Amino acid sequence: MTKKIVITGLGATTPLGGTMASTWDALLAGESGARTIEAEWVEQYELPVTFAAQARVAAADVLERVETKRLDPSSQFALIAGREAWADAGLTELAPERLGVEWATGIGGVWTLLDAWDTLRERGPRRVLPMTVPMLMPNGPGAAVGMDLGARAGIRTAVSACASSTESLVNAYDHLQAGDADVIIAGGSEAAIHPITIASFAAMQALSKRNDDPARASRPYDIDRDGFVMGEGAAAIVVETEEHAKARGAKIYAELIGGSVTSDAYHITAPDPEGSAAARAMLQTITNAGYDVSDVRHINAHATSTPVGDIAEFNALKRIFGDKLASIPVSATKASTGHLLGGAGAIEAAFTIKALETRTLPPTINLENQDPEIQVDVVTLPRSIEGDAVAISNSFGFGGHNAVAGFRTI
Amino acid sequence: MALSNEEVLAGLAELINDETGIAADVVAAEKSFTDDLDIDSISMMTIVVNAEEKFDVKIPDDEVANLKTVGDAVDFIVKAQA
């Protein structure tokens, strides 16, 4: 029998704020997290892109120094978000064997790896820190969260580029359905704003080059969009069986109705322009949960603000929703947060959950002239909804990964 | 100029504090790295390498296992400086 799965805790540290509450408030206020990068390496390497959406609150301002020394920044963000979500869920007594972690990262410990490479070349192997490998491994952030909370029902990490943390949420749903745990902390984190990644994404023509106006650079669906804005941070979501949540009298934000993972097998970076696999992920999320596409009343789109990507997602949406698409409000929150890569799915899921909880859809900033080829109802100012609603959050990643998670008001 | 035992102890306490957060005044000659200070092998190697740089000495990996207490490390470093 299918169990009802619910959301009972949220945590985040993002370019908009150091907590879930401050992030959500800044999102509703229409703020942008993008700024000029104040680091000497931007000039040193003459990077073609000089801005990004860096974490609003530095991890070092939150964690103990001893903690930061042994953790890559991607794990530091994970720990901050994980602790906040755990505290928010109000969980005090839980058998470690019933608590799991489903984490995600797109890139992993790139700063640790490349700092160690510099150390090796400049100062020799003796100076390479013994913690280098455990810090750079992609399962490091999930392990940090799980060790901190004593999770012994399995700590897993999904690595599927920008689809990673939506995939981790889908995995959490599946493992709770399978009875592997009562509570799972799902989420994702990324700390990859590094000259190498900027150079690579820029060479790919994937990044916005609007260097003179960072706050207005990420503009999904706008005719003048010219690429995504790199972001960093983490979001954590406490996912729990309804039975367990109710037994302990937990506050419930929303229901996680399920999710789906599909793959394009088309091109390593370009989305399949037909969008058939992406569409199938959306459809399966909705119908496997027993709903109809007409029940969907909000979409948090992947919408990274690249010329090609936004169109491909629109084509996928059109396949599923047809003429009904025009009446479904769509939010593209990367306009404010930038693109958190492996953390993107988790923060956008958190926004979708908050939207359902508060019946307030978050705005998409920077939409000045909507691309006429993308006919969707873009939410540009916070918008109220009433009654019950199903919502989906889309994430797509390099490698042709499609992951969709579905939620419902409670 | 070679440092005294007290100076090496103070310097080592700083390195231990930097790596583990253990208060420098807790670090004393008779304290065992593992049993008293709860320093794991990874932190120990980091402290050793930092000590090599700070005191300009070599501490061979084979020797590290013999450094049971803070005092053992201080004695080794003082001798190695000479």
Side-chain angles (χ1 to χ4, degrees):
Chain A
M1 189 182 140
T2 306
K3 296 168 194 160
K4 201 164 167 183
I5 307 297
V6 296
I7 308 297
T8 56
L10 297 172
T13 181
T14 74
L16 295 176
T19 61
M20 187 64 223
S22 57
T23 295
W24 177 247
D25 288 348
L27 180 70
L28 292 185
E31 289 180 27
S32 164
R35 281 166 187 72
T36 299
I37 301 169
E38 306 287 344
E40 60 185 23
W41 44 260
V42 174
E43 213 166 304
Q44 182 185 354
Y45 300 116
E46 298 177 14
L47 293 175
V49 174
T50 60
F51 65 101
Q54 293 175 293
R56 181 65 63 94
V57 176
D61 293 346
V62 182
L63 300 175
E64 298 294 326
R65 197 172 52 85
V66 175
E67 290 175 320
T68 60
K69 281 179 74 83
R70 279 194 167 198
L71 296 172
D72 180 81
S74 60
S75 294
Q76 296 171 20
F77 291 143
L79 200 54
I80 292 168
R83 283 176 179 170
E84 186 192 357
W86 177 260
D88 185 43
L91 279 154
T92 47
E93 284 179 39
L94 179 64
E97 293 74 20
R98 302 304 298 162
L99 173 65
V101 174
E102 292 289 339
W103 207 257
T105 179
I107 293 182
V110 64
W111 275 101
T112 294
L113 175 60
L114 292 166
D115 283 351
W117 175 238
D118 287 343
T119 301
L120 175 70
R121 290 198 301 179
E122 289 162 17
R123 303 168 74 190
R126 185 76 171 163
R127 297 298 307 176
V128 172
L129 288 172
M131 278 298 286
T132 301
V133 169
M135 282 171 70
L136 70 83
M137 64 193 190
N139 56 315
V145 172
M147 281 181 56
D148 191 53
L149 302 176
R152 292 187 173 162
I155 299 170
R156 301 179 184 85
T157 299
V159 179
S160 51
C162 307
S164 301
S165 54
T166 298
E167 188 175 331
S168 71
L169 203 54
V170 177
N171 293 342
Y173 179 88
D174 289 344
H175 285 294
L176 288 172
Q177 285 296 351
D180 298 335
D182 295 320
V183 181
I184 292 180
I185 302 200
S189 52
E190 205 73 80
I193 301 175
H194 185 283
I196 292 272
T197 47
I198 292 177
S200 170
F201 281 132
M204 203 184 275
Q205 309 301 319
L207 292 182
S208 170
K209 293 190 171 70
R210 202 178 284 259
N211 290 327
D212 57 350
D213 200 1
R216 294 169 69 207
S218 184
R219 43 177 59 226
Y221 307 134
D222 191 90
I223 190 79
D224 293 321
R225 68 189 184 278
D226 70 331
F228 76 84
V229 174
M230 281 194 74
E232 65 178 1
I237 299 170
V238 177
V239 191
E240 188 168 357
T241 63
E242 183 190 47
E243 185 185 5
H244 191 270
K246 285 203 163 161
R248 67 182 186 89
K251 158 197 76 200
I252 296 174
Y253 283 96
E255 181 185 353
L256 174 64
I257 62 170
S260 176
V261 174
T262 65
S263 42
D264 285 356
Y266 170 80
H267 187 274
I268 188 67
T269 58
D272 179 351
E274 298 289 314
S276 59
R280 192 156 42 83
M282 292 183 232
L283 188 62
Q284 286 175 172
T285 296
I286 298 159
T287 57
N288 287 355
Y291 294 100
D292 183 82
V293 291
S294 61
D295 294 316
V296 175
R297 295 183 55 207
H298 175 53
I299 298 166
N300 189 306
H302 184 61
T304 62
S305 179
T306 62
V308 178
D310 291 7
I311 292 265
E313 184 178 20
F314 170 69
N315 289 338
L317 289 166
K318 197 80 185 161
R319 269 177 178 264
I320 295 303
F321 296 102
D323 294 339
K324 293 195 185 81
L325 183 59
S327 61
I328 304 174
V330 175
S331 297
T333 47
K334 287 187 184 77
S336 285
T337 60
H339 192 344
L340 270 64
L341 309 180
I347 189 62
E348 287 153 28
F351 289 156
T352 311
I353 291 159
K354 286 295 290 180
L356 293 178
E357 182 219 357
T358 62
R359 306 283 198 290
T360 304
L361 310 182
T364 306
I365 61 170
N366 297 331
L367 186 71
E368 291 172 321
N369 296 299
Q370 188 165 344
D371 186 338
E373 286 187 50
I374 305 178
Q375 292 296 326
V376 294
D377 174 15
V378 183
V379 179
T380 56
L381 292 168
R383 191 187 299 182
S384 297
I385 56 166
E386 286 176 9
D388 294 338
V390 169
I392 59 170
S393 178
N394 289 344
S395 296
F396 311 120
F398 285 174
H401 307 283
N402 309 300
V404 178
F407 307 90
R408 188 170 189 273
T409 48
I410 49 120
Chain B
M1 205 186 103
L3 298 173
S4 68
N5 278 43
E6 290 71 27
E7 287 166 326
V8 170
L9 176 61
L12 201 55
E14 262 178 48
L15 295 179
I16 291 170
N17 172 256
D18 185 55
E19 172 63 19
T20 65
I22 296 167
D25 59 12
V26 173
V27 179
E30 70 279 9
K31 294 280 171 75
S32 156
F33 286 110
T34 52
D35 298 342
D36 298 324
L37 301 179
D38 199 25
I39 291 173
D40 66 16
S41 61
I42 288 172
S43 282
M44 187 64 187
M45 282 314 298
T46 305
I47 292 162
V48 163
V49 172
N50 286 336
E52 286 186 328
E53 187 166 275
K54 187 178 184 100
F55 302 113
D56 193 22
V57 295
K58 287 269 174 267
I59 308 174
D61 289 351
D62 294 347
E63 194 60 46
V64 175
N66 300 327
L67 306 178
K68 305 284 188 207
T69 65
V70 174
D72 294 341
V74 170
D75 290 345
F76 184 90
I77 290 165
V78 168
K79 280 194 192 112
Q81 286 184 123

